[in-house]
Amino acid sequence: MRILYLLTQVPFPPDNGFKHRYTNLLRDLASRNEVAVACFAAPDDELRGGEAFTSEFVSFNYVRLPSSIPTSYPQGWLSSDPSEVRFLASSPMAELVDRLVARHEPEVIVVGDPALTQYVEKHDSAPRVLDYMCDAILGFKRLGDVSFGPGKWVNTLRAKKYARFLWRISRHYVRCFSSSLEVRH
């Protein structure tokens, strides 16, 4: 099977939970499938030694993240999208995903973070899957629980905004996998 996998960061070396999970997942998938990877790399990421990991994929590509977070806070507050979507907005990544879809003709596109949905919305020639370690809403809720005054209000608002965003983008995916869920009684 031909798989295109999108991630918010380079998944190697496996020196934290995110990277450990995705390094092992991608290597396992690549042992039985043709896997192309597109991800962001932070400006200070050292990519030396990555050949040991990247050689297992039919294609491994990255785009540099901006060195700073956009400063248009009023636009962010008024937007219906979480700030992560704006932070990860990148013309080079959009062009890269377009090229990889055209070149590899994936049979499935897997997205490792909801904020990356912006790159696959128009690519409906293959089923899209969201594979997400969902901790944002729970984190906002926990922060709201321990905050007071404006901090409580801000974190409650962020949790609601993120939940609405997840609901809105869910139509772009045939399956959504999550490694953590909040259970309500």
Side-chain angles (χ1 to χ4, degrees):
M1 176 177 278
R2 293 181 311 278
I3 301 169
L4 173 58
Y5 221 109
L6 278 64
L7 294 171
T8 58
Q9 60 182 283
V10 175
F12 58 80
D15 56 6
N16 65 37
F18 174 93
K19 292 180 178 185
H20 183 75
R21 178 180 189 271
Y22 282 109
T23 292
N24 289 316
L25 176 66
L26 290 169
R27 291 177 102 178
D28 185 57
L29 284 172
S31 71
R32 299 182 313 275
N33 302 281
E34 295 177 22
V35 179
V37 177
C39 60
F40 282 101
D44 58 346
D45 272 349
E46 281 294 325
L47 299 175
R48 287 178 295 170
E51 300 81 20
F53 297 99
T54 61
S55 63
E56 299 176 45
F57 308 115
V58 295
S59 180
F60 184 88
N61 311 268
Y62 67 90
V63 169
R64 289 284 181 190
L65 271 174
S67 58
S68 63
I69 295 174
T71 57
S72 55
Y73 292 114
Q75 290 175 354
W77 283 103
L78 297 174
S79 170
S80 61
D81 292 337
S83 58
E84 295 85 353
V85 174
R86 192 169 39 97
F87 178 68
L88 293 174
S90 163
S91 296
M93 179 57 86
E95 293 165 7
L96 173 61
V97 171
D98 290 348
R99 281 193 314 270
L100 290 172
V101 168
R103 183 183 321 144
H104 295 290
E105 298 178 344
E107 295 172 87
V108 66
I109 300 172
V110 185
V111 178
D113 190 281
L116 300 174
T117 301
Q118 60 191 307
Y119 302 112
V120 301
E121 289 173 315
K122 68 180 182 181
H123 295 292
D124 57 3
S125 60
R128 293 162 296 199
V129 174
L130 179 62
D131 176 23
Y132 179 50
M133 297 189 301
C134 186
D135 60 353
I137 295 173
L138 185 56
F140 296 144
K141 183 181 179 328
R142 288 177 179 160
L143 284 171
D145 289 347
V146 299
S147 300
F148 56 92
K152 186 174 206 64
W153 178 80
V154 166
N155 286 303
T156 300
L157 178 66
R158 290 179 74 194
K160 288 179 179 183
K161 185 178 194 178
Y162 205 86
R164 282 192 307 270
F165 171 72
L166 291 175
W167 181 254
R168 194 173 69 248
I169 66 167
S170 66
R171 67 184 172 87
H172 295 291
Y173 297 99
V174 296
R175 294 284 184 270
C176 296
F177 300 102
S178 177
S179 61
S180 64
L181 296 173
E182 179 180 0
V183 178
R184 295 179 187 237
H185 298 278

